[in-house]
Amino acid sequence: MPNTVPITVNVNGRSHSADVEPRTLLVHFLRETLNLTGTKIGCDTSQCGACVVKMNGVTVKSCTAFAVQADGAEVTTIEGLAENGNLTAVQEAFWNNHGLQCGYCTAGMIMSVTEIIERNPNPSAEEVRAGLEGNMCRCTGYNNIVKAALAAAAAGQEGG
């Protein structure tokens, strides 16, 4: 039996405690221990961004972080973005602007776009593209993803 380490992580507003092997990746902890499967494993090499989550308010590729590194952290996954069943402006914009095709990269894209808009509420298309450099989509060609990001930013400007 391998050695385990006790951790407590606040995920999507709920505290979770578990004993994990020190080598357990955060993405595996989220998917296998907490059954939060919205976070995807796309490449196992930190190239694709399908596994992006927020940890302490900053996006990270959860395939590059160990679960033990999240001990005491606040983690938000795609499942934790919507509040009371209401989609965020970014989620709504992805839906309305066809910012997805197969959907595999969508959670990571939405998490990244959310951070892009939080850092810059009025990004240009070029700034959105630069902010998404760590996220790969194999289906859409990115045009509708950028369109969705700009629509979400515009919706935020109208609302606030």
Side-chain angles (χ1 to χ4, degrees):
M1 178 87 177
N3 291 334
T4 60
V5 176
I7 63 169
T8 300
V9 184
N10 187 314
V11 180
N12 300 330
R14 293 187 55 209
S15 181
H16 298 273
S17 296
D19 292 327
V20 298
E21 291 183 45
R23 66 185 179 142
T24 301
L25 294 174
L26 179 56
V27 68
H28 293 295
F29 174 74
L30 294 170
R31 289 180 59 81
E32 297 165 14
T33 303
L34 302 185
N35 295 314
L36 296 171
T37 58
T39 302
K40 303 292 188 249
I41 301 168
C43 65
D44 285 332
T45 60
S46 79
Q47 303 280 325
C48 75
C51 67
V52 171
V53 298
K54 280 187 158 191
M55 186 161 61
N56 294 329
V58 178
T59 57
V60 298
K61 292 181 178 179
S62 60
C63 74
T64 64
F66 292 110
V68 294
Q69 291 174 293
D71 186 30
E74 297 272 337
V75 174
T76 304
T77 69
I78 190 70
E79 291 93 345
L81 285 185
E83 292 186 23
N84 300 318
N86 298 314
L87 298 178
T88 66
V90 174
Q91 291 172 312
E92 193 74 39
F94 266 71
W95 177 265
N96 292 334
N97 292 279
H98 311 287
L100 58 111
Q101 196 161 339
C102 82
Y104 205 82
C105 71
T106 304
M109 289 286 186
I110 288 174
M111 298 302 292
S112 294
V113 167
T114 299
E115 183 179 60
I116 291 166
I117 294 172
E118 286 172 354
R119 290 184 180 206
N120 178 1
N122 190 24
S124 67
E126 294 77 25
E127 289 168 325
V128 170
R129 287 182 186 280
L132 290 175
E133 283 182 354
N135 296 73
M136 270 184 7
C137 176
R138 293 174 175 94
C139 300
T140 70
Y142 300 91
N143 290 331
N144 287 344
I145 293 169
V146 173
K147 183 179 168 186
L150 296 176
Q157 295 296 315
E158 292 168 6

